[in-house]
Protein backbone atom coordinates (compact mmCIF):
# COMPACT_ATOMS: atom_id res chain seq x y z
CA UNK A 1 0.00 0.00 0.00
CA UNK A 2 2.80 2.38 0.90
CA UNK A 3 4.49 1.91 -2.47
CA UNK A 4 1.22 2.52 -4.33
CA UNK A 5 0.58 5.70 -2.33
CA UNK A 6 3.95 7.12 -3.31
CA UNK A 7 3.82 6.02 -6.93
CA UNK A 8 0.36 7.34 -7.86
CA UNK A 9 1.11 11.05 -7.18
CA UNK A 10 4.41 10.73 -9.02
CA UNK A 11 2.68 9.19 -12.04
CA UNK A 12 0.07 11.94 -11.95
CA UNK A 13 2.76 14.64 -11.86
CA UNK A 14 4.52 13.04 -14.80
CA UNK A 15 1.28 12.95 -16.80
CA UNK A 16 0.56 16.62 -16.08
CA UNK A 17 4.16 17.59 -16.80
CA UNK A 18 4.28 15.69 -20.08
CA UNK A 19 0.97 17.23 -21.22
CA UNK A 20 2.22 20.75 -20.45
CA UNK A 21 5.57 20.06 -22.11
CA UNK A 22 3.79 18.89 -25.27
CA UNK A 23 1.56 21.99 -25.29
CA UNK A 24 4.68 24.11 -24.90
CA UNK A 25 6.50 22.26 -27.69
CA UNK A 26 3.57 22.58 -30.11
CA UNK A 27 3.18 26.27 -29.23
CA UNK A 28 6.87 27.05 -29.65
CA UNK A 29 6.97 25.02 -32.85
CA UNK A 30 4.60 27.39 -34.64
CA UNK A 31 6.75 30.46 -33.96
CA UNK A 32 8.79 30.24 -37.16
CA UNK A 33 5.71 29.72 -39.32
CA UNK A 34 4.11 32.82 -37.82
CA UNK A 35 7.30 34.89 -37.98
CA UNK A 36 8.30 34.13 -41.58
CA UNK A 37 5.36 35.97 -43.25
CA UNK A 38 6.17 39.01 -41.10
CA UNK A 39 9.82 38.89 -42.13
CA UNK A 40 8.75 38.63 -45.76
CA UNK A 41 6.79 41.87 -45.39
CA UNK A 42 10.12 43.63 -44.82
CA UNK A 43 10.66 43.49 -41.06
CA UNK A 44 14.12 42.36 -39.97
CA UNK A 45 14.35 39.03 -38.11
CA UNK A 46 15.61 40.68 -34.92
CA UNK A 47 12.79 43.22 -35.09
CA UNK A 48 10.28 40.36 -35.30
CA UNK A 49 11.99 38.70 -32.33
CA UNK A 50 11.73 41.97 -30.38
CA UNK A 51 8.04 42.24 -31.31
CA UNK A 52 7.46 38.73 -30.05
CA UNK A 53 9.17 39.22 -26.68
CA UNK A 54 7.84 42.73 -26.06
CA UNK A 55 4.26 41.85 -27.04
CA UNK A 56 4.31 38.87 -24.69
CA UNK A 57 5.82 40.97 -21.89
CA UNK A 58 3.01 43.51 -22.24
CA UNK A 59 0.36 40.77 -22.16
CA UNK A 60 1.92 39.41 -18.97
CA UNK A 61 2.25 42.77 -17.19
CA UNK A 62 -0.73 41.98 -14.90
CA UNK A 63 1.05 38.78 -13.87
CA UNK A 64 4.26 40.70 -13.32
CA UNK A 65 2.45 43.16 -11.02
CA UNK A 66 0.73 40.36 -9.14
CA UNK A 67 4.04 38.60 -8.53
CA UNK A 68 6.11 41.75 -7.96
CA UNK A 69 7.50 40.38 -4.70
CA UNK A 70 9.58 37.93 -6.75
CA UNK A 71 11.78 40.83 -7.89
CA UNK A 72 13.00 41.25 -4.33
CA UNK A 73 13.10 37.56 -3.48
CA UNK A 74 14.75 36.06 -6.61
CA UNK A 75 16.38 38.86 -8.67
CA UNK A 76 19.20 36.63 -9.91
CA UNK A 77 16.79 34.00 -11.20
CA UNK A 78 14.75 36.58 -13.11
CA UNK A 79 17.82 38.25 -14.61
CA UNK A 80 19.28 34.92 -15.71
CA UNK A 81 15.98 33.73 -17.18
CA UNK A 82 15.46 36.96 -19.11
CA UNK A 83 19.00 37.14 -20.48
CA UNK A 84 19.47 33.44 -21.21
CA UNK A 85 16.08 31.81 -21.79
CA UNK A 86 14.61 34.75 -23.71
CA UNK A 87 17.20 37.16 -25.13
CA UNK A 88 20.20 34.81 -25.30
CA UNK A 89 18.55 32.04 -27.29
CA UNK A 90 17.02 34.49 -29.76
CA UNK A 91 20.14 36.63 -30.24
CA UNK A 92 22.42 33.59 -30.60
CA UNK A 93 20.14 31.90 -33.11
CA UNK A 94 19.69 34.96 -35.33
CA UNK A 95 23.42 35.76 -35.21
CA UNK A 96 24.17 32.17 -36.22
CA UNK A 97 21.85 32.07 -39.23
CA UNK A 98 23.51 35.21 -40.56
CA UNK A 99 26.72 33.16 -40.99
CA UNK A 100 25.71 29.48 -41.37
CA UNK A 101 22.71 27.67 -42.92
CA UNK A 102 19.49 27.78 -40.90
CA UNK A 103 19.28 23.99 -40.68
CA UNK A 104 22.81 23.69 -39.34
CA UNK A 105 22.23 26.46 -36.79
CA UNK A 106 19.02 24.79 -35.66
CA UNK A 107 20.72 21.42 -35.26
CA UNK A 108 23.56 22.91 -33.21
CA UNK A 109 21.07 24.79 -31.02
CA UNK A 110 19.25 21.55 -30.33
CA UNK A 111 22.37 19.96 -29.00
CA UNK A 112 20.95 21.62 -25.88
CA UNK A 113 19.41 18.38 -24.48
CA UNK A 114 22.77 16.60 -24.72
CA UNK A 115 24.56 19.59 -23.18
CA UNK A 116 21.94 19.52 -20.44
CA UNK A 117 22.75 15.91 -19.68
CA UNK A 118 26.42 16.85 -19.47
CA UNK A 119 25.61 19.71 -17.10
CA UNK A 120 23.56 17.44 -14.84
CA UNK A 121 26.28 14.76 -14.77
CA UNK A 122 29.44 16.91 -14.58
CA UNK A 123 28.40 20.14 -12.85
CA UNK A 124 25.57 18.93 -10.60
CA UNK A 125 27.23 15.51 -10.17
CA UNK A 126 23.93 13.68 -10.41
CA UNK A 127 23.24 10.37 -12.15
CA UNK A 128 21.86 10.21 -15.67
CA UNK A 129 20.14 7.00 -16.72
CA UNK A 130 20.97 5.14 -19.90
CA UNK A 131 17.40 5.64 -21.11
CA UNK A 132 17.76 9.40 -20.74
CA UNK A 133 21.02 9.48 -22.68
CA UNK A 134 19.64 7.11 -25.33
CA UNK A 135 16.50 9.23 -25.74
CA UNK A 136 18.53 12.41 -26.21
CA UNK A 137 20.81 10.70 -28.73
CA UNK A 138 17.89 9.36 -30.78
CA UNK A 139 16.18 12.76 -30.74
CA UNK A 140 19.27 14.63 -31.93
CA UNK A 141 19.82 12.01 -34.66
CA UNK A 142 16.25 12.65 -35.75
CA UNK A 143 16.92 16.37 -35.86
CA UNK A 144 19.79 15.77 -38.30
CA UNK A 145 17.18 14.32 -40.67
CA UNK A 146 14.47 16.91 -39.92
CA UNK A 147 16.68 19.89 -40.78
CA UNK A 148 18.65 17.96 -43.45
CA UNK A 149 21.87 19.45 -42.14
CA UNK A 150 23.94 17.77 -44.86
CA UNK A 151 22.55 20.19 -47.46
CA UNK A 152 24.53 23.36 -47.95
CA UNK A 153 26.87 22.79 -45.00
CA UNK A 154 29.67 25.31 -44.84
CA UNK A 155 31.89 25.78 -41.85
CA UNK A 156 32.10 29.19 -40.21
CA UNK A 157 33.72 29.11 -36.79
CA UNK A 158 32.01 32.25 -35.48
CA UNK A 159 28.60 31.14 -36.75
CA UNK A 160 29.03 27.78 -35.04
CA UNK A 161 30.02 29.53 -31.81
CA UNK A 162 26.88 31.69 -31.97
CA UNK A 163 24.73 28.57 -32.44
CA UNK A 164 26.50 26.83 -29.55
CA UNK A 165 25.81 29.93 -27.47
CA UNK A 166 22.10 29.57 -28.26
CA UNK A 167 22.30 25.89 -27.25
CA UNK A 168 23.91 26.81 -23.93
CA UNK A 169 21.22 29.43 -23.33
CA UNK A 170 18.60 26.76 -24.05
CA UNK A 171 20.18 24.68 -21.27
CA UNK A 172 19.82 27.74 -19.02
CA UNK A 173 16.08 27.82 -19.79
CA UNK A 174 15.53 24.39 -18.24
CA UNK A 175 18.09 24.69 -15.44
CA UNK A 176 16.70 28.05 -14.26
CA UNK A 177 13.11 26.88 -14.54
CA UNK A 178 14.01 23.95 -12.31
CA UNK A 179 16.07 26.09 -9.89
CA UNK A 180 13.08 28.35 -9.34
CA UNK A 181 11.22 25.45 -7.72
CA UNK A 182 13.80 25.04 -4.96
CA UNK A 183 14.30 26.72 -1.62
CA UNK A 184 11.93 27.57 1.21
CA UNK A 185 9.88 29.86 -1.04
CA UNK A 186 9.82 28.49 -4.60
CA UNK A 187 9.45 31.13 -7.29
CA UNK A 188 6.06 31.10 -8.98
CA UNK A 189 6.61 29.97 -12.60
CA UNK A 190 4.10 32.51 -13.89
CA UNK A 191 6.07 35.33 -12.26
CA UNK A 192 9.34 33.94 -13.62
CA UNK A 193 7.93 33.86 -17.16
CA UNK A 194 6.44 37.35 -16.92
CA UNK A 195 9.61 39.01 -15.66
CA UNK A 196 11.84 36.88 -17.86
CA UNK A 197 10.05 38.10 -20.98
CA UNK A 198 10.14 41.68 -19.71
CA UNK A 199 13.88 41.56 -19.06
CA UNK A 200 14.47 39.72 -22.32
CA UNK A 201 12.55 42.32 -24.32
CA UNK A 202 14.62 45.11 -22.76
CA UNK A 203 17.83 43.29 -23.66
CA UNK A 204 16.64 42.70 -27.23
CA UNK A 205 15.79 46.39 -27.57
CA UNK A 206 19.51 47.16 -27.45
CA UNK A 207 20.41 44.91 -30.39
CA UNK A 208 17.17 45.02 -32.44
CA UNK A 209 16.81 48.84 -32.51
CA UNK A 210 13.02 48.68 -32.98
CA UNK A 211 12.79 52.42 -33.53
CA UNK A 212 14.31 51.84 -36.98
CA UNK A 213 11.56 49.41 -38.06
CA UNK A 214 8.66 50.29 -40.34
CA UNK A 215 5.86 49.05 -38.07
CA UNK A 216 3.21 50.29 -40.51
CA UNK A 217 3.76 46.97 -42.30
CA UNK A 218 1.76 45.30 -39.54
CA UNK A 219 -1.27 47.20 -40.81
CA UNK A 220 -0.92 45.60 -44.25
CA UNK A 221 -1.17 42.01 -45.40
CA UNK A 222 1.07 38.95 -45.25
CA UNK A 223 1.08 35.81 -47.40
CA UNK A 224 0.38 32.41 -45.82
CA UNK A 225 -0.59 29.24 -47.66
CA UNK A 226 -0.87 31.29 -50.83
CA UNK A 227 -3.47 33.61 -49.35
CA UNK A 228 -3.22 37.23 -48.26
CA UNK A 229 -4.11 37.63 -44.60
CA UNK A 230 -3.87 40.61 -42.21
CA UNK A 231 -0.27 40.80 -40.94
CA UNK A 232 -1.62 41.31 -37.43
CA UNK A 233 -2.97 37.74 -37.46
CA UNK A 234 0.39 35.89 -37.50
CA UNK A 235 1.77 38.59 -35.19
CA UNK A 236 -0.96 37.90 -32.64
CA UNK A 237 -0.41 34.12 -32.93
CA UNK A 238 3.33 34.57 -32.47
CA UNK A 239 2.86 36.64 -29.32
CA UNK A 240 -0.11 34.94 -27.65
CA UNK A 241 0.43 31.29 -28.56
CA UNK A 242 4.07 30.83 -29.60
CA UNK A 243 5.35 32.94 -26.70
CA UNK A 244 2.90 33.56 -23.85
CA UNK A 245 1.30 30.10 -23.84
CA UNK A 246 4.57 28.39 -24.79
CA UNK A 247 6.67 29.91 -22.00
CA UNK A 248 4.04 29.54 -19.29
CA UNK A 249 3.35 25.87 -20.00
CA UNK A 250 7.05 25.16 -20.55
CA UNK A 251 8.18 26.58 -17.22
CA UNK A 252 5.43 24.80 -15.29
CA UNK A 253 6.17 21.48 -17.05
CA UNK A 254 9.73 21.47 -15.71
CA UNK A 255 8.30 21.53 -12.18
CA UNK A 256 6.46 18.26 -12.86
CA UNK A 257 9.09 16.53 -14.97
CA UNK A 258 12.82 17.15 -14.79
CA UNK A 259 14.94 19.54 -16.88
CA UNK A 260 16.44 16.68 -18.95
CA UNK A 261 13.06 15.10 -19.74
CA UNK A 262 11.53 18.47 -20.61
CA UNK A 263 14.59 19.26 -22.72
CA UNK A 264 14.20 16.17 -24.89
CA UNK A 265 10.43 16.63 -25.31
CA UNK A 266 11.27 20.12 -26.63
CA UNK A 267 12.77 18.48 -29.72
CA UNK A 268 9.20 17.87 -30.90
CA UNK A 269 9.18 21.60 -31.69
CA UNK A 270 11.34 20.85 -34.74
CA UNK A 271 8.74 18.44 -36.06
CA UNK A 272 5.89 20.86 -35.38
CA UNK A 273 7.79 23.67 -37.10
CA UNK A 274 8.38 21.51 -40.17
CA UNK A 275 4.78 20.28 -40.41
CA UNK A 276 3.24 23.74 -39.95
CA UNK A 277 5.63 25.17 -42.55
CA UNK A 278 4.54 22.38 -44.92
CA UNK A 279 0.84 23.15 -44.42
CA UNK A 280 0.89 26.95 -44.15
CA UNK A 281 4.03 27.99 -46.05
CA UNK A 282 4.07 25.25 -48.72
CA UNK A 283 7.51 24.03 -47.60
CA UNK A 284 7.17 20.34 -48.44
CA UNK A 285 8.39 17.48 -46.28
CA UNK A 286 10.81 14.97 -47.75
CA UNK A 287 11.39 11.37 -46.76
CA UNK A 288 14.41 12.21 -44.55
CA UNK A 289 12.30 14.72 -42.61
CA UNK A 290 9.50 12.21 -42.08
CA UNK A 291 12.00 9.65 -40.82
CA UNK A 292 13.66 12.29 -38.64
CA UNK A 293 10.35 13.34 -37.14
CA UNK A 294 9.66 9.75 -36.17
CA UNK A 295 13.06 9.53 -34.48
CA UNK A 296 12.50 12.77 -32.56
CA UNK A 297 9.19 11.50 -31.21
CA UNK A 298 10.76 8.15 -30.34
CA UNK A 299 13.62 9.83 -28.50
CA UNK A 300 11.23 11.98 -26.49
CA UNK A 301 9.18 8.95 -25.48
CA UNK A 302 12.27 6.93 -24.52
CA UNK A 303 13.60 9.77 -22.36
CA UNK A 304 10.34 10.49 -20.56
CA UNK A 305 9.85 6.80 -19.78
CA UNK A 306 13.10 6.71 -17.81
CA UNK A 307 12.84 6.30 -14.07
CA UNK A 308 14.74 8.05 -11.33
CA UNK A 309 17.10 6.11 -9.04
CA UNK A 310 15.40 4.24 -6.22
CA UNK A 311 16.81 6.59 -3.60
CA UNK A 312 14.69 9.35 -5.02
CA UNK A 313 11.55 7.34 -5.57
CA UNK A 314 9.59 9.13 -2.88
CA UNK A 315 10.21 12.58 -4.35
CA UNK A 316 7.73 12.82 -7.20
CA UNK A 317 9.89 13.43 -10.28
CA UNK A 318 11.53 16.86 -10.52
CA UNK A 319 14.69 18.22 -8.94
CA UNK A 320 17.10 15.63 -7.48
CA UNK A 321 15.02 12.52 -8.18
CA UNK A 322 14.17 13.60 -11.70
CA UNK A 323 17.68 14.14 -12.99
CA UNK A 324 17.91 10.44 -13.54
CA UNK A 325 15.75 11.10 -16.57
CA UNK A 326 16.85 13.40 -19.19
CA UNK A 327 10.59 20.43 -24.23
CA UNK A 328 12.88 28.05 -29.98
CA UNK A 329 12.42 24.01 -33.58
CA UNK A 330 13.17 27.34 -32.09
CA UNK A 331 12.98 29.01 -28.74
CA UNK A 332 13.85 32.07 -30.66
Amino acid sequence: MRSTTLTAPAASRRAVGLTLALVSAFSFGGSGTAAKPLIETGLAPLQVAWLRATGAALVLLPLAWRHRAIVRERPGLLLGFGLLAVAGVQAGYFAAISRIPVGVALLIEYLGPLLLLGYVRVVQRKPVTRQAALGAGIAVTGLVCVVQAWQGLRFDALGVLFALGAACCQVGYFVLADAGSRGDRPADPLGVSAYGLLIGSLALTVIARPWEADWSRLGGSAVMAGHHIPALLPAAWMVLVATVLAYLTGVVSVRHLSPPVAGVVANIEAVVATVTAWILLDEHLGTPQLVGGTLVLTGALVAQSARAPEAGAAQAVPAEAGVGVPVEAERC
Side-chain angles (χ1 to χ4, degrees), residues 235-308:
W237 179 273
M238 181 180 66
V239 169
L240 298 177
V241 177
T243 309
V244 174
L245 178 62
Y247 271 98
L248 293 182
T249 53
V251 171
V252 175
S253 74
V254 178
R255 305 293 177 91
H256 294 279
L257 297 172
S258 67
V261 172
V264 174
V265 176
N267 288 324
I268 295 173
E269 296 167 26
V271 181
V272 175
T274 304
V275 172
T276 55
W278 177 31
I279 297 172
L280 297 177
L281 302 179
D282 201 29
E283 295 180 354
H284 295 289
L285 290 170
T287 300
Q289 291 169 311
L290 292 172
V291 172
T294 302
L295 289 174
V296 170
L297 291 171
T298 301
L301 290 173
V302 169
Q304 78 86 26
S305 67
R307 289 294 183 266

Side-chain angles (χ1 to χ4, degrees), residues 41-207:
T41 66
L43 292 174
L46 273 177
Q47 292 168 345
V48 174
W50 175 87
L51 173 65
R52 177 186 179 186
T54 303
L58 292 175
V59 171
L60 294 179
L61 274 180
L63 275 179
W65 175 253
R66 180 179 179 182
H67 297 283
R68 58 191 180 279
I70 199 175
V71 176
R72 181 181 66 257
E73 297 168 355
R74 307 294 293 273
L77 173 67
L78 300 182
L79 186 62
F81 195 85
L83 295 180
L84 293 176
V86 179
V89 173
Q90 296 186 37
Y93 175 75
F94 282 113
I97 63 176
S98 70
R99 308 183 69 92
I100 61 178
V102 172
V104 176
L106 191 58
L107 173 62
I108 295 173
E109 179 187 338
Y110 265 86
L111 290 176
L114 291 182
L115 294 176
L116 179 56
L117 288 175
Y119 175 87
V120 168
R121 185 68 184 91
V122 177
V123 178
Q124 295 185 336
R125 297 182 182 279
K126 296 174 182 177
V128 173
T129 65
R130 290 181 180 179
Q131 273 181 284
L134 178 62
I138 293 174
V140 172
T141 301
L143 280 169
V144 173
C145 299
V146 169
V147 302
Q148 294 182 285
W150 56 84
Q151 292 187 357
L153 177 62
R154 58 186 177 85
F155 181 79
D156 182 290
L158 190 56
V160 170
L161 285 176
F162 282 139
L164 283 173
C168 291
C169 289
Q170 189 193 61
V171 173
Y173 169 89
F174 297 108
V175 172
L176 289 169
D178 179 59
S181 66
R182 303 184 184 185
D184 296 333
R185 301 185 65 181
D188 190 290
L190 302 182
V192 172
S193 296
Y195 279 101
L197 284 163
L198 182 59
I199 293 170
S201 70
L202 292 175
L204 284 170
T205 299
V206 177
I207 58 176

